[in-house]
Amino acid sequence: GTPRYIVPRYTLPVPENPAAVAAATAAAHAAGATSWPDAWSVTVAGPLNTANDAVQGAIGGATAASGDLLLQWVLNPLSTVLTGSPWWLVVLAAAAFGAVFGGWRTAVTSGAAIAATGLLGVWDNSMDTLSQVLVAAAVTVAIGVLIGILAARSDALAAVLRPVLDAMQTLPPFVYLIPAVALFGIGRVPALAAAVIFALPPVIRLVNDGIRGVPAGAVEAAVSQGSTGTQILTKVQLPLARSSLLLAVNQGIMMVLAMVVMGALVGAGSLGYDVVFGLKQNQLGLGLTSGVAIVCLGLALDRVTQGRSSHG
């Protein structure tokens, strides 16, 4: 006949002596063994607060002054230009950048994505968010490329940076808000600082890997011609690592954009604040609209920074 298959059933083991288990549980409650012993715990709040006070006393004034300068001379003027310019001019500028860096398809995509933020009814907030992203991305790329070049030219520095970058990429994004607020207070500057720190690891790693991936023959040929270290870097390594550099710029911008909503928790405002406010007040339309606008900004920036590599 047809063979029969027996399916095993798995059940939790039942203690042979429930009375003994109940007695052990009661004894543990009586002895207070159900909670972690206080004597075995280490409280770091006090030392961290002391260290924070020391840092604030040492460089608090400098960080506040640098934050004010960033707002006064960079962020606020750029935000004023983007929000105060005619919408059609901003759309044409986005399309022009797309045409320069990727061709007409990138131009259409970039211009349409920027125009979509206006069609969604969040033009001013989108332009303010765009200004924050551009400033933070510029700082991220400048610092990341510099550190990446230094790491590529020094094995010791690369070895030191490796565990640090691993730890930075493991931490949740909101963790970076804590030191940023401690240094700069509440506002747009700490949000930008947290975004820069969050976006640095992939930029550093991509630049480092790109330069190290340059064929040794090309470097040896440049050395044989009497090129200096600076000439080898600028004339050989950076041009040959162009695809990695473009990817580093792209990833830096995308990582900064990913911190827009997190930055709203410390006073960044604009689209990130609308998303948080919409979720908190159960206003799905506001949160969803602002979220889609952030996606549109990301699409435009992604196509502009990656258009040239895909275009040829």
Side-chain angles (χ1 to χ4, degrees):
T2 304
R4 299 175 62 186
Y5 298 94
I6 300 176
V7 179
R9 296 182 179 179
Y10 298 95
T11 58
L12 294 176
V14 179
E16 296 180 359
N17 193 347
V21 175
T25 304
H29 277 284
T34 56
S35 60
W36 185 268
D38 293 337
W40 295 359
S41 61
V42 178
T43 302
V44 298
L48 286 178
N49 289 332
T50 302
N52 177 58
D53 294 339
V55 171
Q56 285 287 350
I59 63 174
T63 56
S66 61
D68 292 339
L69 289 176
L70 180 64
L71 281 175
Q72 182 178 357
W73 295 102
V74 180
L75 188 56
N76 287 341
L78 180 58
S79 178
T80 300
V81 168
L82 291 176
T83 56
S85 299
W87 67 267
W88 53 267
L89 182 60
V90 178
V91 172
L92 287 179
F97 277 109
V100 170
F101 289 101
W104 68 269
R105 293 183 179 177
T106 302
V108 172
T109 303
S110 179
I114 296 298
T117 62
L119 295 175
L120 292 171
V122 289
W123 177 263
D124 289 340
N125 284 344
S126 297
M127 294 301 101
D128 186 56
T129 297
L130 180 59
S131 66
Q132 297 181 42
V133 171
L134 292 177
V135 172
V139 176
T140 300
V141 171
I143 298 176
V145 170
L146 176 60
I147 297 178
I149 291 174
L150 294 177
R153 298 171 72 88
S154 172
D155 293 336
L157 179 59
V160 171
L161 286 177
R162 188 176 298 112
V164 176
L165 297 178
D166 288 340
M168 292 177 66
Q169 290 188 291
T170 304
L171 293 174
F174 64 85
V175 172
Y176 299 106
L177 297 176
I178 300 174
V181 171
L183 291 176
F184 296 99
I186 299 296
R188 291 187 292 176
V189 174
L192 297 183
V196 169
I197 298 173
F198 177 68
L200 272 178
V203 176
I204 295 174
R205 282 185 156 161
L206 287 169
V207 173
N208 179 29
D209 292 341
I211 294 178
R212 288 180 178 272
V214 172
V219 177
E220 292 175 358
V223 172
S224 65
Q225 296 296 323
S227 300
T228 63
T230 303
Q231 290 174 333
I232 293 174
L233 176 65
T234 57
K235 303 296 184 180
V236 178
Q237 291 177 318
L238 291 181
L240 292 179
R242 175 175 171 273
S243 60
S244 294
L245 296 178
L246 288 175
L247 183 58
V249 173
N250 175 267
Q251 290 302 296
I253 294 175
M254 293 299 104
M255 297 291 281
V256 167
L257 192 62
M259 283 290 288
V260 167
V261 177
M262 290 295 175
L265 301 177
V266 295
S270 300
L271 292 179
Y273 174 81
D274 289 344
V275 172
V276 175
F277 183 81
L279 293 175
K280 182 179 180 180
Q281 299 297 326
N282 198 25
Q283 296 185 15
L284 177 62
L286 177 61
L288 183 60
T289 299
S290 301
V292 173
I294 294 175
V295 173
C296 292
L297 292 179
L299 177 62
L301 293 172
D302 176 73
R303 296 316 304 151
V304 168
T305 53
Q306 284 297 298
R308 177 60 65 184
S309 59
S310 62
H311 184 64

